[in-house]
Each structure stands twice: as structure tokens, then as C-alpha cells.
Amino acid sequence: MSDKARALFDALDLDHDGTLTRVEVIVALREKGPTLAAHGVIPFWGVGGDDESAALFDAADQNGDRLLSFEEFATVVDRRFGW
């Protein structure tokens, strides 16, 4: 898993509990997305609206438990962002 995936996961984990919820991903990308892109944590083209953030979460939630582990998250973002 990439260091960029870890940095993005940690930035989105608003409550610092080691997992991501759908709401966390949507809210964090809405609030932090442009800044994360400016710092090279996420590509500018990867910053979308709420629907894109929700789709990212849904694609990553492989086991359907409505929580993302780092491993689930990293698998999708590494592939999607080409890391």
C-alpha cells in the first residue's frame, strides 16, 4: 500500500478511530479536498462532489460493513489514482 494512500486515509479519518465511515469520507473530502490536492495528497481531478465521494466509499467497502479499513481504502485509491 502506498504512503499517499495512508496520508489520505489519515486525513479523512476525522474521529481518528482507524476506520472511515461514508459520512466521514464525504465530509472530509468536501472540507479538505482542495487543500489535500494543493499539498499533493490527492490529485486535483480526484476532488469531486458528494456523489463522487460516496461512490469512492461504496467502491472501497468490499465487505459491505459500512466501514472502511485502511486495506479496503488503499486498494481502491491506489488503483484509482495510479499510486
Side-chain angles (χ1 to χ4, degrees):
M1 307 296 165
S2 73
D3 292 338
K4 287 185 177 188
R6 173 49 76 184
L8 181 55
F9 184 90
D10 290 346
L12 301 181
D13 187 8
L14 299 177
D15 63 5
H16 308 289
D17 69 350
T19 62
L20 298 176
T21 66
R22 194 172 208 259
V23 170
E24 267 182 314
V25 171
I26 293 168
V27 169
L29 283 173
R30 183 185 318 133
E31 293 176 358
K32 298 180 175 185
T35 301
L36 293 170
H39 289 108
V41 177
I42 188 171
F44 280 105
W45 58 263
V47 178
D50 291 357
D51 290 341
E52 291 85 0
S53 298
L56 174 68
F57 179 90
D58 293 342
D61 187 17
Q62 296 297 308
N63 64 6
D65 67 353
R66 300 171 60 184
L67 290 173
L68 297 184
S69 66
F70 172 68
E71 291 76 18
E72 285 176 308
F73 179 78
T75 298
V76 169
V77 297
D78 280 347
R79 183 176 56 241
R80 182 169 289 183
F81 298 142
W83 296 333

